[in-house]
Amino acid sequence: MSKKVLAIDFGASSGRAIVGSFENDKITLEEIHRFSNDPVMLSGTMYWDFLRLFHEVKQSLVKAKSCGKIDSMGIDTWGVDFGLIDKNGRLLENPVHYRDARTKGMLDKAFELVPRDSFYAVTGNQFMEINTAFQLMALAEKRPELLERADKLLMMPNLFTFFLTGEKVTEQSIASTTQLYDQAGSCWAYKLADRLGIKQSLFTNIVPSGVKIAPLTHEITEELDIPDMDVIAVCGHDTQAAMAAVPAEEKDFAFLSCGTWSLLGTELDEPILDENSLRLNVTNEVGYGGKTSFLKNIIGLWLIQESRRQWQREGKEYSFADLEKMAREAQPFKCFIDPDDESFVPSGNIPDRIRKYCIRTNQPVPETDGEVMRCIYESLALKYRTAISELEACTGKKYDTLYMIGGGTKDKFLSQLTACACKIKVSGGPVEATALGNIAVQLMASGDIPDIEAARRVIRNSEEITIFKGDSPMQWDKAYSDYENIIHN
């Protein structure tokens, strides 16, 4: 008999429910539900539609009933965002989207209260205005009455698990995305929160990934007419769930989790909190087993996704396959962008912003949609090269293989360009890394898989991996030199 568990994986633009069956040292996946995750603008604020998303969780549980006995479930989501509940356990409002403009200027205000180096020495997080700490500062400044009514803050995966189980906890990996987590103490950075004006009582107990939170409430099982099952605190941050599924055999490896965001990093025994990692703005998060995920956050397929949405608004119904084909056929090395330039963070007309960026940096302007796509592809690949270089500078290690995982690995052109630009072997797959990592953590929690090394072996047995090798090194060296000159001048 196979062991079955349910993984519910929320990305920044869609979600899905996948049943994982474990048998004969392999995991097989069955997607039972997929749904969109669309932000909602209301009176100038961008929200997540939490009520709709919780409805989709319930639909996932109902559909899972037809798959036979499900022993447990786990939920992973994007990082940094949260919901506030009052003392009676009621959600005060829909969680606000990290792309909302409320945090603009909060980084500078934070550094007036806590020097940048002191901040990083405690949290080890890459400084981004979207981080939880700065969202809370924005609330304290603009909506203090909401924080006064709030009893607890729950990060997104644990907001879902609270309404499924009634238990208020914060899983460790998602806590480490907040810029309010003390790396040395493996706890909330209470003194730092005090200095930022954030009340300590908002925080709940931190639990490690891979522990049981509680079973579903009787209210949920009765409403949905489903059997009981345990809810497991998997790696709640989807990046750390994906990292658990990196099919590496070696201890020291580099990985690229490629989706709406690109997360490029490595797994370490301890965080790196020195001046070099601060200067390079590298983040330390907590992965499965208390390991450190040392990585760079890079704007990823968001640039392609948002460009496609813009072209749809213009009446051009391109598929992602169409966009890849257009990029392949366009002139190479015509122009480059810094994918992390602040102009590309908000939603809107990305192709127009790319053209304006090229004008501003005295480059040829991409004239066709294909040339815009080629610019995005090549710029992402070259950005990855920079990130690998910074990673090696911080760790003192050399990486021969980049394990590229997640939905972006379906795009073979991006994988090939990455191998070329970075002059590294790229191991592509698994595509469903986040769901596989979610499932593997549940199986480790139940003892069906003994440890993370065994989990990665199981994933290698279960998934097809594609190898990409680079070519034209001299052309790419020239392109990288041009790219560096453009983004630093």
Side-chain angles (χ1 to χ4, degrees), residues 448-462:
D448 290 275
I449 294 178
D451 52 39
I452 189 64
E453 290 77 17
R456 286 175 171 151
R457 186 195 70 244
V458 167
I459 288 165
R460 288 195 298 273
N461 291 342
S462 307

Side-chain angles (χ1 to χ4, degrees), residues 31 34 43 74 119 144 191 257 285:
E31 183 180 297
R34 181 174 285 267
S43 300
F119 216 134
K191 291 181 180 178
S257 180
E285 293 182 11

Side-chain angles (χ1 to χ4, degrees), residues 106-124:
M106 286 299 149
L107 262 180
D108 290 338
K109 291 181 180 180
F111 294 150
E112 291 174 4
L113 300 170
V114 182
R116 184 187 183 96
D117 55 350
S118 300
F119 216 134
Y120 189 82
V122 175
T123 70

Side-chain angles (χ1 to χ4, degrees), residues 301-363:
L301 301 184
W302 161 258
L303 296 169
I304 296 174
Q305 295 161 352
E306 193 65 7
S307 293
R308 180 171 177 257
R309 280 188 280 269
Q310 175 61 33
W311 287 322
Q312 285 175 333
R313 288 190 285 268
E314 296 172 4
K316 304 172 186 176
E317 293 294 333
Y318 296 136
S319 68
F320 286 113
D322 292 334
L323 295 178
E324 180 182 345
K325 183 174 184 291
M326 290 159 54
R328 284 180 182 273
E329 294 172 350
Q331 177 185 340
F333 308 134
K334 180 173 182 176
C335 54
F336 307 110
I337 60 169
D338 179 359
D340 287 333
D341 187 85
E342 63 180 12
S343 64
F344 303 126
V345 174
S347 58
N349 192 336
I350 294 293
D352 183 62
R353 293 178 201 165
I354 287 173
R355 293 186 179 98
K356 288 177 179 175
Y357 182 98
C358 291
I359 292 170
R360 190 169 77 243
T361 52
N362 299 312
Q363 298 183 80

Side-chain angles (χ1 to χ4, degrees), residues 158-186:
N158 300 124
L159 188 63
F160 287 106
T161 59
F162 167 66
F163 286 108
L164 291 171
T165 68
E167 295 295 320
K168 305 170 193 172
V169 298
T170 306
E171 183 275 327
Q172 192 175 22
S173 75
I174 201 73
S176 71
T177 71
T178 61
Q179 209 130 34
L180 291 166
Y181 178 82
D182 185 325
Q183 291 284 344
S186 300

Side-chain angles (χ1 to χ4, degrees), residues 39-77:
V40 178
M41 286 294 297
L42 184 66
S43 300
T45 298
M46 182 181 286
Y47 294 98
W48 297 106
D49 192 353
F50 180 78
L51 300 184
R52 165 53 55 179
L53 296 178
F54 194 72
H55 169 77
E56 302 294 359
V57 171
K58 289 181 176 180
Q59 291 303 299
S60 302
L61 289 167
V62 170
K63 291 182 178 182
K65 186 178 177 181
S66 65
C67 297
K69 184 178 186 299
I70 305 292
D71 291 284
S72 65
M73 67 171 294
I75 297 178
D76 64 81
T77 76

